[in-house]
Amino acid sequence: MTGPIGVAIGVWLLAGKSWKLSWMWALLFGIGMALVVITKMAFVGWGVGIEAVEFAGFSGHAMRSAAVYPVAAFLAFRSSRSNARYAATAIGVVFAVLISISRVPTMAHSVSESVTGTILGLAIAAAFIRYASSERHWALSRMLVVLCLPILLIAPRVEPVPAEQWITQAALYLSGRDQPYTRAMWTESKHRGHE
């Protein structure tokens, strides 16, 4: 859901002719995604990570959730009173944190990957919200939220993009390895060390 919501935010800003905010959102969100991809490729292709805390790259789920939900809530309530806007943004933050936490029990990410992904995403959201708060001339209305709803309704039915597979293939190609590095290799090396 977070990818389509990120796109919906961009569409929303463009529809409101908020050119500066559109570019700022694309830049910040793009930087976040690039950092996720770079850290994952560094681990998969070259084994660059922090074994002590099982960090093999920023969690993309956590980063996207933490960047997207607070910003979407802020924009949806931008024209409301400040208390409602702050409350909506805070709910977006809480929702993003809960999603990040959910990645750990499923073994999709380690605690360090979820935490750092969340911090990265929240930094992106905070930077955008701060910039957007200083912009005076932008035309956003709740009608634009309605116009973006089709993206959100279609998103759950769209086949997910195999991003992890693409990252792995690119990392293996660039590193020249046949097999990717995995977190399981850290566990295996610890077992061998204890034998």
Side-chain angles (χ1 to χ4, degrees):
M1 284 294 290
T2 50
I5 294 172
V7 171
I9 289 171
V11 170
W12 189 9
L13 293 170
L14 286 170
K17 298 181 181 177
S18 304
W19 314 122
K20 285 183 183 177
L21 290 177
S22 301
W23 281 111
M24 183 56 68
W25 173 247
L27 176 66
L28 290 170
F29 196 64
I31 288 171
M33 289 304 300
L35 288 172
V36 168
V37 170
I38 289 167
T39 56
K40 287 189 175 190
M41 285 183 67
F43 178 72
V44 169
W46 293 269
V48 176
I50 306 170
E51 184 176 353
V53 292
E54 294 187 351
F55 178 80
F58 294 112
S59 164
H61 290 99
M63 189 288 292
R64 289 191 306 271
S65 296
V68 162
Y69 289 120
V71 168
F74 170 81
L75 292 175
F77 285 84
R78 185 200 172 266
S79 57
S80 302
R81 280 187 268 177
S82 58
N83 288 345
R85 193 167 58 249
Y86 296 146
T89 305
I91 289 169
V93 170
V94 170
F95 188 57
V97 169
L98 290 174
I99 289 173
S100 300
I101 291 169
S102 76
R103 308 312 298 158
V104 178
T106 62
M107 306 296 281
H109 291 289
S110 66
V111 172
S112 65
E113 292 164 357
S114 290
V115 168
T116 54
T118 302
I119 292 169
L120 175 59
L122 290 177
I124 289 166
F128 177 81
I129 289 170
R130 181 171 182 172
Y131 183 82
S133 297
S134 66
E135 275 288 306
R136 294 287 170 250
H137 305 292
W138 53 321
L140 289 177
S141 69
R142 286 200 173 95
M143 180 53 71
L144 292 175
V145 178
V146 175
L147 295 175
C148 290
L149 280 178
I151 295 173
L152 304 181
L153 295 174
I154 293 168
R157 293 165 182 78
V158 174
E159 194 68 28
V161 174
E164 294 287 336
Q165 185 180 336
W166 293 345
I167 289 170
T168 299
Q169 288 173 349
L172 292 177
Y173 175 77
L174 292 172
S175 67
R177 284 180 56 84
D178 294 325
Q179 295 296 319
Y181 282 96
T182 64
R183 277 186 284 148
M185 292 177 176
W186 286 335
T187 309
E188 290 167 12
S189 67
K190 282 179 186 173
H191 287 313
R192 283 197 297 269
H194 289 305
E195 290 174 359

